[in-house]
Amino acid sequence: MNDQDLHNLEQELRAMTPAALTPELLDQCELQLFGANLAAMRPAGLSTDQLDACEHSVIENELHSLAPRALEKSFLDQLEHIPAEVGLMELEPQPLSNEFLDKLADKLENADAPVAIETTEENVIPFPSATQKSPAKNWKWYASAAAVACIGIFTGLTLTNPGTTNSPLAANQAADQFQPISSDNLQNVSTESTFLQAQDRGIVLSNGSNPTHYRAVRVIQMETVTLKNDAGQTIQVQRPVEKTVLMPVEAD
Amino acid sequence: MSAVSLNSNTETLGWRAWLEVHGSKLLLFARQQTRSEQDAEDIFQEALVKLAKKTAAGEFTGGQDAWIPYLYTQIRREAIDLGRKVDRRDRREQIVVEDQKSLQGTTSDPWFESASDMNERADILKQALQELPDKFSEVVVMKIWGDQTFADIGEALDISINTAASRYRYGLEALRKRLATQRSTGEL
């Protein structure tokens, strides 16, 4: 209904006498006027803030539709153990006994002192005593060495020296004192080992699938072999012997 | 660890079941707070360990519903601690790597599931969210997927409720502008 129609309706209403207006007619007129007023209304435009709010709501809904990436199964398995791990963390290990603590303190205080190595009997190679009589395993070597030594000494003392007098007085004098010993049938009389020196060479590790720790000790001895021939003459031969002794030790 | 019941109306879940339901959104927050997937998993795990310890010791007040706000707060603290530990030079190197990745247009650690029916607009939103300044994206993540109130967000991030609300609005506005830009350039 446009403005002209409204105007015409108003004119008709004014021309009508009050007695002619029945309640039904009045309602009809009011409805028509109300409808006309509604039609004349213009919807108000949405403000910028209102538009932004609408868009924000749309964006919120779109964000809600995005699903956060789920936990990987392996990671979930790892996280599942956390309560058990926390339970284990609450367990306290048994405290050290006073006896063990004293032993540790003692070890730390005496850290510079030589460490006593505990080994089983069969693994212990005892240090030789100052004089130890033991049969030489290779005494024949000593016999050979004694024979060569005798020959060498005799030759040195009897041969003339070009720079000296024809008759070497020292050689004659030595020859008087030195009686040559026959090297035939030299027999071992005794063998002695004299301990001279021991040096700690540190800890070594054996090869193999089950390595064992050893303490290496360098031992220097002097072996003295006394030999006697058929004539009852004796000769002593000395030779230094160096050995490396390995002693099993306990290691962490 | 026995699950703690909040009240008779709340379903109490076992540890693993609870993680299956809520773990992804908490890990999303951890990803937002860190620079790598590994760091995100680490800080998430650390936060869970702290929760487990408090619960086992009987020091945690509230039921399973209180776990989520606690974990958001703890994840953020772990991220801050991690950030302090990482060497400045390493962080610069990692940022260079991240820049290179963004230039290539791909991210090796996606935050969201990729669905077959996901439209282009959703892809732009995902990327835009990851590129938002941290102070905005963390609020958006907690509000949208964590269903946290601004009061909870303020407490977790140590900011006021108003600041939390403002940052949320600014975050959404930044996303809206990004979408508008894509529209204007014809990419959307």
Side-chain angles (χ1 to χ4, degrees):
Chain A
M1 186 179 283
N2 56 28
D3 291 342
Q4 186 58 44
D5 293 333
L6 270 174
H7 179 72
N8 295 336
L9 182 59
E10 278 181 343
Q11 293 298 323
E12 285 177 15
L13 285 172
R14 289 179 197 283
M16 294 170 75
T17 58
L21 285 172
T22 60
E24 293 79 13
L25 189 59
L26 275 172
D27 289 343
Q28 193 178 354
C29 291
E30 275 184 351
L31 276 173
Q32 283 183 335
L33 273 172
F34 184 65
N37 288 331
L38 279 177
M41 288 171 66
R42 297 285 184 269
L46 289 173
S47 66
T48 307
D49 288 345
Q50 286 170 321
L51 280 170
D52 289 346
C54 288
E55 282 211 60
H56 287 179
S57 293
V58 169
I59 291 170
E60 276 181 323
N61 289 333
E62 286 176 325
L63 289 172
H64 271 294
S65 68
L66 300 176
R69 193 155 56 90
L71 273 63
E72 299 283 344
K73 185 183 179 301
S74 58
F75 186 50
L76 194 56
D77 292 342
Q78 192 178 326
L79 297 179
E80 191 181 17
H81 295 135
I82 286 176
E85 286 173 358
V86 166
L88 286 173
M89 282 183 223
E90 291 178 355
L91 301 175
E92 289 189 9
Q94 198 173 2
L96 299 175
S97 65
N98 289 331
E99 185 187 340
F100 186 66
L101 283 170
D102 290 340
K103 198 174 171 184
L104 273 178
D106 185 54
K107 291 266 185 195
L108 288 169
E109 283 170 10
N110 299 318
D112 293 333
V115 177
I117 299 165
E118 297 178 1
T119 58
T120 55
E121 282 298 321
E122 58 263 23
N123 293 331
V124 171
I125 301 173
F127 281 113
S129 57
T131 57
Q132 179 178 333
K133 294 185 189 294
S134 61
K137 291 182 183 175
N138 52 351
W139 65 270
K140 289 188 178 177
W141 183 92
Y142 288 96
S144 305
V148 169
C150 291
I151 294 168
I153 292 168
F154 181 75
T155 305
L157 290 174
T158 55
L159 283 177
T160 57
N161 192 330
T164 60
T165 58
N166 290 333
S167 57
L169 180 63
N172 287 335
Q173 288 179 344
D176 292 337
Q177 296 168 6
F178 177 74
Q179 297 297 325
I181 297 175
S182 169
S183 61
D184 293 336
N185 293 325
L186 282 172
Q187 296 293 325
N188 179 29
V189 175
S190 66
T191 306
E192 291 179 1
S193 288
T194 305
F195 170 74
L196 296 179
Q197 189 184 12
Q199 294 175 350
D200 184 1
R201 306 308 296 269
I203 301 293
V204 296
L205 196 62
S206 65
N207 295 327
S209 59
N210 195 16
T212 309
H213 288 83
Y214 294 94
R215 181 172 295 282
V217 180
R218 180 178 174 225
V219 178
I220 301 173
Q221 298 171 310
M222 184 65 75
E223 282 193 349
T224 304
V225 178
T226 304
L227 302 166
K228 189 187 268 188
N229 60 10
D230 291 341
Q233 295 164 319
T234 61
I235 185 170
Q236 276 191 339
V237 181
Q238 287 185 324
R239 117 181 141 149
V241 174
E242 184 179 315
K243 298 179 191 174
T244 300
V245 177
L246 297 176
M247 295 186 288
V249 295
E250 246 184 71
D252 292 337
Chain B
M1 181 178 75
S2 59
V4 178
S5 172
L6 179 61
N7 53 48
S8 59
N9 296 327
T10 306
E11 181 186 350
T12 303
L13 301 174
W15 178 249
R16 189 183 176 102
W18 188 91
L19 284 173
E20 285 172 348
V21 172
H22 300 287
S24 58
K25 56 191 172 189
L26 290 163
L27 188 57
L28 171 65
F29 183 63
R31 289 186 186 115
Q32 184 275 326
Q33 292 283 312
T34 56
R35 294 278 179 226
S36 72
E37 181 71 12
Q38 189 58 53
D39 287 346
E41 289 184 354
D42 286 347
I43 65 171
F44 180 36
Q45 188 163 348
E46 282 299 318
L48 285 172
V49 168
K50 288 192 165 61
L51 171 66
K53 282 182 178 176
K54 282 184 83 74
T55 310
E59 296 169 356
F60 190 84
T61 53
Q64 283 190 345
D65 283 358
W67 289 5
I68 294 178
Y70 172 83
L71 285 169
Y72 273 118
T73 305
Q74 204 56 48
I75 286 170
R76 186 155 191 280
R77 285 179 187 165
E78 294 295 333
I80 291 171
D81 288 345
L82 182 66
R84 286 175 187 153
K85 284 177 196 173
V86 174
D87 183 54
R88 282 186 176 274
R89 178 175 56 83
D90 291 339
R91 291 179 72 187
R92 281 200 296 273
E93 287 176 0
Q94 196 153 5
I95 288 170
V96 168
V97 172
E98 291 292 333
D99 286 342
Q100 288 175 349
K101 285 180 184 173
S102 65
L103 284 172
Q104 292 166 5
T106 60
T107 52
S108 60
D109 299 323
W111 288 8
F112 300 96
E113 298 284 357
S114 53
S116 58
D117 58 346
M118 202 62 74
N119 54 32
E120 193 179 346
R121 188 176 159 95
D123 289 339
I124 293 170
L125 264 180
K126 286 181 201 175
Q127 191 171 348
L129 180 64
Q130 290 185 242
E131 293 171 2
L132 269 184
D134 289 346
K135 63 180 180 179
F136 299 138
S137 60
E138 61 188 0
V139 177
V140 171
V141 165
M142 289 180 73
K143 189 83 176 89
I144 297 290
W145 293 281
D147 292 325
Q148 299 296 288
T149 63
F150 287 126
D152 290 334
I153 293 172
E155 191 173 333
L157 304 181
D158 197 23
I159 55 178
S160 69
I161 297 176
N162 289 337
T163 302
S166 295
R167 289 185 183 179
Y168 179 68
R169 283 195 298 274
Y170 290 144
L172 289 182
E173 178 59 21
L175 292 175
R176 188 195 69 78
K177 283 180 179 174
R178 177 64 179 274
L179 288 170
T181 303
Q182 300 293 138
R183 266 199 303 269
S184 64
T185 56
E187 294 178 38
L188 189 61

